[in-house]
Amino acid sequence: PASEGATSGEDFAPTENSVWQMYPGSDNLVGECSGAPAINFCDHLAAITPAQGGLSWKGMEPTPYFLAQTQPNVYVYSGPNNLGTGTVTMTMTFSSGDDISMTMNLVLANEPNCQHVYYYTGTRNW
């Protein structure tokens, strides 16, 4: 089962540089949203690199995010987004050495009561 690694303490996060095919799904708007169009991201590659205390994740933005390990197989970032347009919270969970899921909440500074929520899935390419 997917939860087996978490209960055994085994962490499936990569121990060396890796590239993942990410599928962000559709933008789920939550809260008071102005009616502006959803922000849908295309499927893309992401680089995941081990870092002290967590992982570096580089998707489509120009610089990577550091996700701190909060428990086996779970890594979290919460703070400003790298584009400077708002804040982002990312929670990445490894269910095996080849599969991850990530929930990303984006709140833009110009629309603080609206969340853009994405439910990513990903598979390891190499």
Side-chain angles (χ1 to χ4, degrees):
S3 62
E4 200 171 280
T7 57
S8 70
E10 178 183 357
D11 197 347
F12 295 118
T15 56
E16 57 191 27
N17 295 349
S18 59
V19 174
W20 297 71
Q21 177 64 58
M22 300 302 298
Y23 305 96
S26 298
D27 186 355
N28 298 278
L29 298 169
V30 178
E32 297 174 31
C33 302
S34 67
I39 304 169
N40 288 308
F41 300 119
C42 59
D43 299 348
H44 60 276
L45 295 175
I48 298 177
T49 306
Q52 184 65 38
L55 297 171
S56 170
W57 185 82
K58 183 170 184 327
M60 296 187 303
E61 293 184 5
T63 54
Y65 289 97
F66 173 76
L67 284 76
Q69 185 174 19
T70 57
Q71 62 188 40
N73 299 304
V74 179
Y75 295 80
V76 176
Y77 170 82
S78 187
N81 71 343
N82 290 339
L83 298 176
T85 57
T87 59
V88 66
T89 300
M90 296 184 283
T91 303
M92 180 183 298
T93 304
F94 290 84
S95 56
S96 75
D98 295 319
D99 297 289
I100 57 176
S101 59
M102 182 172 73
T103 300
M104 183 176 88
N105 291 7
L106 171 65
V107 177
L108 299 175
N110 65 355
E111 200 171 32
N113 296 319
C114 179
Q115 290 185 58
H116 299 265
V117 183
Y118 305 87
Y119 300 102
Y120 280 80
T121 57
T123 55
R124 187 179 180 133
N125 276 12
W126 58 267

